[in-house]
Amino acid sequence: MIAFNQLCWIWIAIALVLFPVLLRVSQPYGKHTKKTWGPLINNNLGWFIMELPALIVFLYFLFSNPELENKVIYIAGSLWALHYVNRAIIFPLRIRTKGKKIPIVIVVFAILFNTVNGFLNGYGLAHFSTNIELNNVTSLRFILGSCIFIIGFIINQYHDHLLIKLRRIGSGYKIPYGGLFRFVSCPNFLGEIISWLGFLIVAFNLPALSFLVWTMVNLIPRALDHHSWYNKEFRDYPKERKAIFPYLL
C-alpha cells in the first residue's frame, strides 16, 4: 500500500507541476483547435477513443478483487461509471461538431491520462478501501458525497445541453445563456469539479484526491481560455461573468 500511495502522490505532484504550464498553453481542441499540433481526427471519434479507457480500466481493476463485498465501494464505482458512460458514449453522440477535428496527440495524451486515473481509482477502491466503516451506506459522509456528486452531474449535464442546443451546424458560436451561465462562462466544468469533490467525499482516499486535483488542473486553465475567447469574440459578452467559480475566478 505504501508504494501505491507514493504513486498517487507522484501523480498529484505531476499535476501541480503542469498547472502553470497549462495556464500558459491553450489545449488545442474545441474552440482552440490548431492544425499546428499535428494530424487530426474526427472530433466525435476522438472523444470516444480518449474517454473510454477511464471506464474500461476502472471497471477492470474494480472487479479485480474477488473478495470485495463492500456496498459503498460498488456504489462509488457506479458514480464513476455514470460519468464515463456519459462522457465516452453518450456525449460524443450528442455533440454537434460535424466537420470538426481534434489533434491525435491530444487523444493519445488523454488515453494515457484516463488509463492512469482509471487504474488508480479502480485498484484503490478494490484493494485499499475495504474497511468496515466504508460499508455503511447510511453514513453522513456517504450520503453527503453522493448528493454532491449527483448535483455536480446534473449541473454538468444541464449546461452541456444548453451548449449543444447552440451548436447548430453552420450557425457559428453564440453567447450561452441560462442557468449558471449567468455567473460563469463554464458552468459545465464547474459541475464536473463538484462531482469529483463528491466522489472524493464518498471514496475518501488518495486516488480520488488525485483525480480531483487533476480535474481542476485540466479544467481551470481551459475555463480561463474559454472565458478569454468569449470576451474577444463578442463585444457584448456579459462583463459580470467569471470563468468558472462564481464571483471568484
Side-chain angles (χ1 to χ4, degrees):
M1 183 173 182
I2 294 176
F4 183 80
N5 286 343
Q6 289 176 338
L7 182 61
C8 291
W9 283 117
I10 291 172
W11 191 232
I12 290 172
I14 293 172
L16 296 177
V17 169
L18 285 178
F19 184 57
V21 177
L22 293 176
L23 286 172
R24 292 175 174 270
V25 179
S26 296
Q27 299 174 54
Y29 61 95
K31 297 179 179 66
H32 316 286
T33 299
K34 296 179 180 178
K35 295 181 179 180
T36 55
W37 280 68
L40 307 172
I41 63 171
N42 177 271
N43 190 67
N44 301 61
L45 177 62
W47 270 103
F48 172 75
I49 293 173
M50 70 186 189
E51 298 290 348
L52 194 60
L55 177 63
I56 293 176
V57 174
F58 174 84
L59 292 177
Y60 173 81
F61 284 104
L62 181 66
F63 291 104
S64 65
N65 182 358
E67 299 178 358
L68 184 62
E69 297 180 353
N70 193 308
K71 290 180 288 187
V72 169
I73 290 177
Y74 282 122
I75 294 173
S78 70
L79 296 177
W80 181 284
L82 173 65
H83 174 85
Y84 276 105
V85 165
N86 172 70
R87 187 58 63 189
I89 300 172
I90 299 174
F91 182 74
L93 294 175
R94 292 178 61 207
I95 53 177
R96 294 167 173 162
T97 56
K98 184 177 180 180
K100 289 195 174 182
K101 306 288 186 178
I102 185 172
I104 292 177
V105 66
I106 293 297
V107 174
V108 172
F109 284 146
I111 289 172
L112 295 174
F113 169 76
N114 285 321
T115 298
V116 173
N117 285 316
F119 160 69
L120 291 179
N121 282 276
Y123 192 85
L125 278 175
H127 294 274
F128 301 126
S129 300
T130 56
N131 59 74
I132 296 176
E133 179 184 348
L134 270 176
N135 207 30
N136 183 8
V137 296
T138 63
S139 70
L140 177 61
R141 195 184 83 205
F142 171 77
I143 294 172
L144 177 63
S146 297
C147 288
I148 290 174
F149 182 94
I150 295 300
I151 289 170
F153 184 79
I154 292 171
I155 291 172
N156 175 263
Q157 289 298 289
Y158 175 67
H159 294 93
D160 270 350
H161 173 69
L162 293 181
L163 288 172
I164 290 170
K165 284 176 63 178
L166 287 178
R167 293 168 184 165
R168 305 293 182 185
I169 297 174
S171 63
Y173 286 102
K174 299 178 182 177
I175 299 175
Y177 290 99
L180 295 178
F181 279 115
R182 175 182 175 186
F183 304 103
V184 294
S185 296
C186 300
N188 50 334
F189 293 170
L190 173 61
E192 197 164 332
I193 290 173
I194 292 172
S195 281
W196 296 120
L197 173 61
F199 183 80
L200 171 60
I201 294 172
V202 171
F204 209 67
N205 60 18
L206 263 180
L209 173 62
S210 74
F211 191 61
L212 176 61
V213 170
W214 267 104
T215 298
M216 296 180 70
V217 164
N218 275 323
L219 296 185
I220 290 176
R222 188 148 178 82
L224 292 170
D225 282 342
H226 280 12
H227 186 66
S228 176
W229 183 90
Y230 277 125
N231 277 285
K232 291 177 181 177
E233 189 75 11
F234 302 102
R235 294 182 179 179
D236 57 341
Y237 193 71
K239 301 301 180 185
E240 68 276 9
R241 287 189 193 181
K242 296 297 184 179
I244 188 168
F245 300 120
Y247 307 111
L248 296 176
L249 180 67

